[in-house]
Amino acid sequence: SEMCIRDSTRPDIVGDELANQLRILHANLPPVPTSEAQRTIEIALGAKIETLFSEFSEPVAAASIAQVHKAKISKTGELVAVKVLRPKIERAFRKDIDAFYFAAKVIEIISASARRLKPSDVIKHFDDVVQGELDLKLEAAAAGEYASITQNDDGFTVPKAHFFYTSKRVMTMNWVDGVPFGETLSIEAAGFDKKVLSERLLKVFLRQAL
């Protein structure tokens, strides 16, 4: 960004600006109209929105791949977060990844020294990761497994995944109210101890990593 270029001698300014841009990509992009998201859900789950959910909100967050709506399951009254892939996102990623494959092949042909870096293998790995990101059934299954693994970890809970309301393009999980981890002032205002939260996060991460 212009700020990063202008203040490149100030790592703190650059870091803050990059962090802000990442936050925008994470949850503050222009959302898809709710009616379009609802059509995606109806096709994916094979039922009308009013049959599935007694309440369904406007988007509460929109990222580069999907957006989230707050809803209430008709049968149980449970509050849930419904994550919906953006329309045609798979096609957009396929187009970009194919371009990466082409670029990797060209690099391998014209640069002998670059071949040892195996650029095509790098793109293949990236492709596999992206395909996983675009299948919300896999994400829901991973969340269920993670919930089971961490069920005895104090102060840490994974929201329940609702598999009957989940498909490749839609994922439904219990709704959880909270404060974004990056909003430190809001965390302090809510009365949380940042040191305790940081230690808890580090311990949970290390338990899983090790």
Side-chain angles (χ1 to χ4, degrees), residues 101-205:
Y101 274 121
F102 176 76
K105 288 294 184 184
V106 170
I107 291 171
E108 289 173 347
I109 292 171
I110 66 176
S111 175
S113 61
R115 288 175 203 148
R116 63 184 179 83
L117 300 176
K118 300 181 179 179
S120 291
D121 289 347
V122 172
I123 302 305
K124 175 63 169 63
H125 175 70
F126 176 66
D127 191 359
D128 292 341
V129 171
V130 167
Q131 296 311 314
E133 289 285 327
L134 294 175
D135 190 339
L136 298 184
K137 287 190 298 184
L138 295 179
E139 185 172 337
E145 182 179 0
Y146 195 51
S148 176
I149 292 171
T150 60
Q151 60 183 337
N152 295 322
D153 291 347
D154 292 333
F156 184 84
T157 302
V158 178
K160 172 188 173 185
H162 293 262
F163 293 101
F164 290 110
Y165 295 83
T166 294
S167 72
K168 185 174 182 179
R169 307 199 84 249
V170 178
M171 181 176 72
T172 302
M173 302 182 76
N174 278 4
W175 179 268
V176 177
D177 289 311
V179 180
F181 206 71
E183 296 182 8
T184 54
L185 294 179
S186 297
I187 290 173
E188 291 176 349
F192 294 106
D193 187 324
K194 291 189 296 182
K195 183 174 184 294
V196 171
L197 288 177
S198 299
E199 289 176 349
R200 184 180 301 163
L201 178 64
L202 182 60
K203 288 178 180 177
V204 169
F205 169 76

Side-chain angles (χ1 to χ4, degrees), residues 38 48-57 70-80 82 165:
Q38 289 177 336
K48 291 290 186 181
I49 273 291
E50 55 268 24
T51 301
L52 298 166
F53 305 108
S54 58
E55 296 178 13
F56 194 89
S57 77
K70 186 177 183 179
K72 181 181 289 186
I73 294 178
S74 295
K75 289 183 178 180
T76 64
E78 292 177 271
L79 284 177
V80 291
V82 183
Y165 295 83

Side-chain angles (χ1 to χ4, degrees), residues 27-40:
N28 292 292
L29 290 176
V32 172
T34 299
S35 58
E36 196 166 346
Q38 289 177 336
R39 281 197 297 273
T40 297

